[in-house]
Amino acid sequence: MFSKALHNRWARLGMGILGVLLMAISINLFVVPHNLYTGGLLGFCQLFRSVLTQELGVEPGFDISGVLYLLLNIPLLILAWKTMGRGFVVRTMTCTVCCSLFLTMIPVPAHPIVEDTLTSCLLGGMVNGFAGGIVLTCGCSSGGFDILGLYMSKKGKGFTVGKFSISCNAVLYALCLVLFDAATAIYSTIYTVFNSLFLDRTHQQSITVQVLIFTREKHTELPKFIMERLERGVTYWQGYGAYTDQPLQVLCVCLSKYEIQTLQQEVRKVDPNAFFIVQEGVRVGGNFEKHLS
């Protein structure tokens, strides 16, 4: 059922929104009551909230970290709109707004629902990692430093989103260590580690697929669609059917498994009689980008 939903763009968006809802619930129920901090941009927003309320004594009456997270995502979304796939940006924008609303609206318990801090870290990390994996698998994102990391990874060779995330979290938890205490930094790190482990287990977006398309007509609009809309390279050549001895156009493209549905819909518009050969788990090297769409 989940696999079928991934091939429907509205179902994917709905699952993405459900994922960010679970993320917000796990953060507000398991992390915030223990005064711990998630990683990434949201972690810095939570740190700012703590400094504002605990050190400066300002009480806005609601969780300001959700609102601040949304405001800081605006320039990142503008950057993504200019440099990444627009479908991904629209879904990310929707999920980011929903995530900020959920973080602001879901009440934080006055007392932790799980008293033991380590247990709360593990539960929060597992639920948040599972939910984050669903969001990414649906071709969405909750925004934050992932957008900036993706952009910078395109600009510099050897630069990865993972390295960027580790660097940002190292700065965040170093600040927690200086401003608060060692326990806060250590438990927040434990939460982030479990979050990352479960996110990797759930997320399957990086599966690469090779598609061979066989069509009797030579269509220039199909390669153009693949290069301009899907932002993928495509190779095509002329073949011949062994039975009919008629010429065929054969196109070869490598893409994410969740881009197949979009490609198939376009091919059916161009040539309803075309057929495909799809091979999953292809290992691709060189100049190949892993899109989040």
Side-chain angles (χ1 to χ4, degrees):
M1 181 178 178
F2 180 66
S3 178
K4 291 182 179 180
L6 291 174
H7 295 296
N8 183 291
R9 61 178 181 175
W10 296 111
R12 289 169 65 185
L13 181 60
M15 292 295 293
I17 294 174
L18 177 61
V20 295
L21 173 61
L22 289 176
M23 291 172 65
I25 291 174
S26 68
I27 291 170
N28 282 5
L29 295 187
F30 296 112
V31 180
V32 178
H34 287 280
N35 295 318
L36 302 179
Y37 300 89
T38 65
L41 181 61
L42 180 59
F44 282 95
C45 295
Q46 292 172 326
L47 185 65
F48 178 80
R49 177 204 59 205
S50 297
V51 172
L52 196 66
T53 57
Q54 297 176 18
E55 303 297 327
L56 301 179
V58 179
E59 293 290 344
F62 59 93
D63 190 350
I64 196 175
S65 61
V67 177
L68 184 61
Y69 182 70
L70 177 60
L71 294 176
L72 292 177
N73 264 290
I74 292 175
L76 295 176
L77 289 169
I78 294 174
L79 175 66
W81 181 267
K82 294 180 178 180
T83 59
M84 301 179 190
R86 294 189 176 183
F88 166 68
V89 175
V90 170
R91 291 191 295 271
T92 296
M93 189 182 303
T94 303
C95 289
T96 301
V97 171
C98 290
C99 184
S100 300
L101 289 175
F102 295 149
L103 287 169
T104 304
M105 295 171 59
I106 296 174
V108 178
H111 301 283
I113 59 175
V114 178
E115 293 294 336
D116 182 67
T117 306
L118 180 59
T119 303
S120 191
C121 284
L122 300 183
L123 287 174
M126 288 188 291
V127 174
N128 199 17
F130 173 75
I134 290 177
V135 173
L136 291 177
T137 301
C138 291
C140 307
S141 171
S142 57
F145 286 150
D146 285 349
I147 296 175
L148 186 59
L150 285 168
Y151 171 77
M152 295 177 68
S153 66
K154 288 186 175 183
K155 294 296 181 180
K157 293 183 179 179
F159 187 94
T160 65
V161 180
K163 292 178 181 178
F164 181 72
S165 177
I166 290 173
S167 301
C168 291
N169 288 335
V171 173
L172 172 64
Y173 296 135
L175 289 173
C176 289
L177 183 62
V178 172
L179 295 175
F180 306 111
D181 51 46
T184 299
I186 291 171
Y187 282 122
S188 296
T189 303
I190 292 173
Y191 162 82
T192 301
V193 170
F194 270 80
N195 177 28
S196 299
L197 289 174
F198 273 78
L199 187 147
D200 287 342
R201 284 288 183 178
T202 308
H203 181 217
Q204 298 178 351
Q205 185 70 31
S206 60
I207 294 176
T208 305
V209 175
Q210 181 189 58
V211 181
L212 292 177
I213 306 168
F214 298 84
T215 174
R216 291 186 177 181
E217 302 294 334
K218 185 175 182 180
H219 300 284
T220 57
E221 61 267 32
L222 189 53
K224 185 177 179 181
F225 172 83
I226 294 173
M227 291 184 289
E228 294 183 358
R229 293 287 300 279
L230 297 181
E231 297 181 347
R232 297 294 190 186
V234 58
T235 301
Y236 63 89
W237 59 90
Q238 186 175 12
Y240 291 87
Y243 181 75
T244 62
D245 199 32
Q246 295 296 315
L248 296 171
Q249 184 183 39
V250 183
L251 298 94
C252 178
V253 59
C254 290
L255 63 167
S256 164
K257 67 180 295 185
Y258 301 117
E259 294 172 311
I260 295 177
Q261 186 72 9
T262 303
L263 176 60
Q264 288 179 333
Q265 290 175 353
E266 182 64 21
V267 173
R268 290 191 184 102
K269 292 179 184 178
V270 176
D271 183 4
N273 296 317
F275 71 95
F276 304 82
I277 295 178
V278 179
Q279 183 179 358
E280 289 192 4
V282 177
R283 185 174 179 179
V284 181
N287 186 21
F288 178 77
E289 295 182 359
K290 294 180 179 179
H291 293 175
L292 289 177
S293 58

